[in-house]
Amino acid sequence: MTLPDWFPNFTEPSRLVWLIAIPILVGLYAWASRKRNKRGMRFTNTGMLGAVVRRQSQWRRHLTVALSLLSLIALVGAWAKPFAQVDVPRERATIVVVLDVSLSMQATDVRPDRFTVAKNEATEFVKSLPAQYNVALVTLSGNPSLVIPPTTDRGAVIRGIETRQLADSTAVGEAIVVGLQALAQAPKPKGAGDEPAPGAIVLLTDGQNTVGRPAEQGAQQAADEKVPVFTIGYGSENGYVDLDGKREPVPVNHAQLERVAKETGGEHFRAASPEQLKKVYSNIGSSVGVEKAERETTAAWAGWGLGFAALAALCAISLAARWPS
């Protein structure tokens, strides 16, 4: 059986076994009440009994016991360390970093090589982003994939960048589409609306599409979704790599990257400085959504327990006190 979202979970559910004391105490109370009533029936002169022993209010006595049991239930629940899923506000603006990991990126026409320079610049760019922005990491190869979904954890994104390895082929158009899918994973707005999160894609590559849909087709989809793509090209016209003992030319395709940027409303850089890269997020804007998060609710449960205990104590005092008639 699936429990509703508002129902609490417990870090120490084994401690709830103490709740078995509740039905035992209820049974003992019912037994004691019956025994008390039977003992009272021995007195036939109830008028004399009322003059000697003040009659207690039955409902106040039951209420005192009920409040005491509720207090016990709440305090046992607090002891079991409850937690619940709650809505937490979070900035939706997202930057998707698309890092080219194709074999052409090992060319050394950019020292020490294109791949190392791209990773270093991607790392510095992630560090420079405003703290409230989400960042996602997508790898560009023959099979682009989402490595890190939108997160504010800069350390996770940087570790993802540093640990990437080279792979076959280059699918620029496909990588842009995966970047759009990553952007769609940003926190959703509260309510029925589902408008896309504000954001941008930063594509770090040598720009030569070899497989998959054309780069311009991916750019058209980004333009339709109003997501700018900023491209950073690495390498020169004379770049090459040695594969299986054969030298393969891998010239950078700046023209293709410029078309992608222009189509989407972004900008192309041949060598982007930190100041230039501020253009990526300077006009994104802000949008607040919500995400589910676990929050411990021990204090709330303990507060209810103490509240019920205080009410039970007041009821007990009212039973013992002699109120003027």
Side-chain angles (χ1 to χ4, degrees):
M1 183 180 67
T2 303
L3 296 175
D5 292 340
W6 53 264
F7 195 85
N9 295 300
F10 296 91
T11 305
E12 301 287 348
S14 60
R15 295 177 179 178
L16 296 176
V17 71
W18 287 97
L19 290 177
I20 198 172
I22 301 301
I24 295 174
L25 291 173
V26 171
L28 289 173
Y29 176 69
W31 173 79
S33 295
R34 285 196 299 270
K35 188 174 180 181
R36 175 191 178 99
N37 291 337
K38 288 180 180 179
R39 186 167 62 244
M41 291 176 65
R42 298 176 187 174
F43 296 89
T44 58
N45 191 343
T46 56
M48 180 65 71
L49 180 62
V52 176
V53 180
R54 186 175 59 89
R55 184 179 180 83
Q56 287 189 334
S57 172
Q58 293 292 319
W59 71 267
R60 275 189 286 177
R61 181 158 54 86
H62 295 328
L63 181 59
T64 301
V65 173
L67 289 170
S68 299
L69 293 175
L70 287 173
S71 175
L72 182 59
I73 291 172
L75 292 175
V76 169
W79 187 43
K81 297 182 179 179
F83 63 91
Q85 295 280 340
V86 297
D87 288 336
V88 177
R90 180 173 151 190
E91 174 62 59
R92 302 180 66 225
T94 302
I95 306 295
V96 181
V97 176
V98 180
L99 178 64
D100 192 341
V101 298
S102 61
L103 294 176
S104 62
M105 291 293 285
Q106 64 185 316
T108 57
D109 52 344
V110 177
R111 298 293 179 182
D113 57 70
R114 297 177 182 179
F115 191 44
T116 299
V117 173
K119 288 201 296 184
N120 289 341
E121 291 194 2
T123 298
E124 291 305 313
F125 172 65
V126 169
K127 290 179 179 178
S128 72
L129 290 173
Q132 74 273 18
Y133 282 8
N134 301 290
V135 187
L137 175 63
V138 170
T139 53
L140 165 55
S141 64
N143 184 29
S145 62
L146 175 60
V147 180
I148 307 290
T151 178
T152 55
D153 186 349
R154 301 290 187 265
V157 178
I158 291 172
R159 287 191 296 273
I161 293 171
E162 292 174 344
T163 56
R164 293 308 95 199
Q165 301 295 322
L166 295 173
D168 290 332
S169 304
T170 309
V172 177
E174 301 293 343
I176 294 174
V177 172
V178 174
L180 294 173
Q181 294 169 354
L183 191 59
Q185 294 187 26
K188 302 298 182 185
K190 194 165 186 177
D194 193 24
E195 70 269 14
I201 295 174
V202 179
L203 180 61
L204 302 97
T205 177
D206 54 22
Q208 190 63 49
N209 196 80
T210 60
V211 295
R213 75 185 76 193
E216 290 78 8
Q217 187 175 337
Q220 182 60 56
Q221 185 169 335
D224 292 342
E225 297 185 24
K226 296 181 173 56
V227 177
V229 179
F230 293 81
T231 57
I232 306 175
Y234 294 92
S236 66
E237 299 297 325
N238 303 318
Y240 66 87
V241 294
D242 293 320
L243 299 175
D244 300 324
K246 184 180 179 180
R247 178 161 294 185
E248 299 284 351
V250 286
V252 66
N253 194 340
H254 285 297
Q256 178 177 263
L257 295 177
E258 286 175 350
R259 289 194 298 271
V260 168
K262 184 177 180 180
E263 177 70 24
T264 61
E267 189 171 343
H268 174 60
F269 305 103
R270 291 174 181 258
S273 68
E275 288 300 318
Q276 287 176 313
L277 287 176
K278 285 184 179 179
K279 297 178 182 179
V280 174
Y281 55 86
S282 61
N283 296 317
I284 286 180
S286 176
S287 173
V288 178
V290 296
E291 63 177 347
K292 292 292 185 182
E294 290 184 355
R295 292 290 185 269
E296 187 171 318
T297 56
T298 299
W301 282 66
W304 280 106
L306 292 174
F308 286 133
L311 291 174
L314 290 174
C315 287
I317 292 171
S318 71
L319 285 172
R322 290 183 175 274
W323 303 102
S325 35

